[in-house]
Amino acid sequence: MKQGKYALIIHGGAGNITGLSQERHDAYVNGIRECLEAGEKLLKAGASSIDVVEACVNILENNEVFNAGKGSVINTEGEVEMDSAIMNGSDLKAGSVIGLKHYKNPISVARQVMDKTEHVMLACDGAEEFAKSAGFKYYENDYFKTEFRIKQAEEAKKAGKTVLDVSDVKKNKKMGTVGAVAFDMNGNIAAATSTGGIANKLKGRVGDSPIIGAGIYANNQYAGVSATGYGEQFLRTVVSFYAAIGVNSTTKAPAAAKKAMTYLKKVVNGLGGIIMIDKYGNIGKAATSENLIHGLVGSDYELYVSLAPNGKNELNEL
Ligand code: ASP
């Protein structure tokens, strides 16, 4: 085991959750914990932050309770379309895919776009063809649809609304998406965000998650950020970039995250949250919603999981 400073924060969506069953509550908590434990093991062994955020998001994508990979929300055409992006803070390299319908781990396809092409973003058919040529296994779109999501899409359709995954259709206040930000032993920061988007979205709709600066950002000079919430609001405010460049010697990640969420609320009455780690290795998180499913761990942080933005004390209050 290497010695040194490291930090990891992950999220599984934001929103205002009501009537959460114990079973689903436990599934969120266990999913986040399992992911944190795996990520911390990698960081302790000296893995790079970019490898760690990809590995963590893979775990969350493969867990169908979260709105990414299998278990993604369903659009108005009854299909799953997934968006994902990854960014490396040391060289500002980034990879992003939009509208993937047949590949299990969109974040790994985005990583390949970053590593193997000259581009940052690939969309729809082009992204699918790239995934195929990169050797990713093809899955039928039905593979991604869970019973929970089919029911959610029906309810959203009936109500004529788009819905954030983590919210209750009636209240229209739940979101999903997964994300990870890591600070490795070499002080490098990376971020990753992956999503099915919002339930009952129009075909072809793209949210903030795959857009550099909106749903994700990483720059070793400032911070790494991953966002979750109503993508349209995060797009219009470029919130991940805003949060990152808010970091300086007097404003660390906790304050920068709060400032960004205050801005989001003020200018577009935005709903959602962000997680971040600054260049000093400090972890920050904030949300304008009641819930932010997240967990964190680090050399200076005891592992905890919470469904609320302010931390572990709220866990039992749900
Ligand atoms: N931000 C995502 C989107 O708008 C959804 C979410 O975070 O729940 O696509």
Side-chain angles (χ1 to χ4, degrees):
M1 292 268 173
K2 276 199 177 186
Q3 293 296 311
K5 192 176 169 103
Y6 64 88
L8 174 66
I9 181 162
I10 61 174
H11 73 77
N16 295 336
I17 312 175
T18 49
L20 187 67
S21 68
Q22 188 64 43
E23 194 191 341
R24 208 153 170 90
H25 171 279
D26 294 349
Y28 284 138
V29 171
N30 294 338
I32 294 289
R33 179 175 295 278
E34 180 198 323
C35 180
L36 281 176
E37 285 169 357
E40 181 179 34
K41 203 166 165 195
L42 289 170
L43 282 166
K44 273 187 166 169
S48 66
S49 52
I50 195 81
D51 285 344
V52 172
V53 293
E54 181 187 356
C56 286
V57 169
N58 272 176
I59 291 171
L60 299 172
E61 285 173 336
N62 293 344
N63 184 336
E64 62 180 59
V65 77
F66 298 109
N67 173 22
K70 188 172 172 70
S72 283
V73 297
I74 296 172
N75 70 13
T76 50
E77 307 298 305
E79 279 193 314
V80 165
E81 288 184 321
M82 300 168 287
D83 302 331
S84 190
I86 189 162
M87 185 163 185
N88 192 29
S90 61
D91 53 11
L92 303 193
K93 280 195 171 164
S96 162
V97 286
I98 289 173
L100 268 197
K101 291 202 261 191
H102 301 104
Y103 295 91
K104 192 178 168 195
N105 293 113
I107 201 67
S108 294
V109 183
R111 172 85 191 261
Q112 291 295 304
V113 172
M114 177 177 101
D115 287 349
K116 304 272 165 62
T117 79
E118 294 171 30
H119 308 306
V120 170
M121 305 182 75
L122 289 177
C124 307
D125 285 358
E128 293 258 317
E129 280 164 31
F130 172 78
K132 186 177 175 199
S133 68
F136 288 96
K137 186 175 167 208
Y138 180 98
Y139 288 78
E140 291 302 333
N141 198 253
D142 281 348
Y143 160 82
F144 298 95
K145 301 177 198 166
T146 60
E147 253 177 61
F148 183 88
R149 296 298 179 213
I150 292 169
K151 203 167 148 244
Q152 181 186 52
E154 280 164 7
E155 283 177 19
K157 215 169 203 166
K158 248 191 253 157
K161 287 174 176 173
T162 56
V163 183
L164 284 172
D165 163 56
V166 186
S167 291
D168 182 309
V169 172
K170 291 179 198 92
K171 287 201 148 191
N172 192 23
K173 281 178 184 163
K174 168 179 168 178
M175 314 168 205
T177 293
V178 304
V181 182
F183 178 100
D184 66 28
M185 300 251 203
N186 294 317
N188 285 323
I189 303 171
T193 307
S194 187
T195 191
I198 49 178
N200 205 31
K201 65 183 181 178
L202 287 177
K203 180 178 181 180
R205 176 266 187 190
V206 181
D208 60 316
S209 308
I211 309 297
I212 308 306
I216 178 169
Y217 191 66
N219 182 335
N220 280 2
Q221 288 187 21
Y222 299 103
V225 183
S226 173
T228 171
Y230 268 110
E232 284 71 7
Q233 298 161 344
F234 284 67
L235 279 166
R236 289 187 280 136
T237 47
V238 201
V239 139
S240 292
F241 182 68
Y242 182 100
I245 63 165
V247 168
N248 56 46
S249 57
T250 51
T251 309
K252 306 282 168 53
K258 280 204 183 90
K259 199 175 152 208
M261 289 299 95
T262 303
Y263 172 69
L264 178 79
K265 180 89 185 158
K266 187 171 162 218
V267 296
V268 295
N269 196 23
L271 188 69
I274 53 169
I275 58 170
M276 63 189 287
I277 303 179
D278 67 29
K279 62 177 171 178
Y280 312 103
N282 299 303
I283 295 179
K285 67 228 154 49
T288 64
S289 51
E290 281 161 30
N291 298 103
L292 174 66
I293 299 171
H294 74 284
L296 60 85
V297 69
S299 46
D300 298 340
Y301 296 90
E302 200 183 312
L303 184 149
Y304 85 75
V305 179
S306 174
L307 304 199
N310 294 336
K312 64 177 160 194
N313 295 335
E314 277 105 325
L315 183 60
N316 299 325
E317 290 169 18
L318 283 166

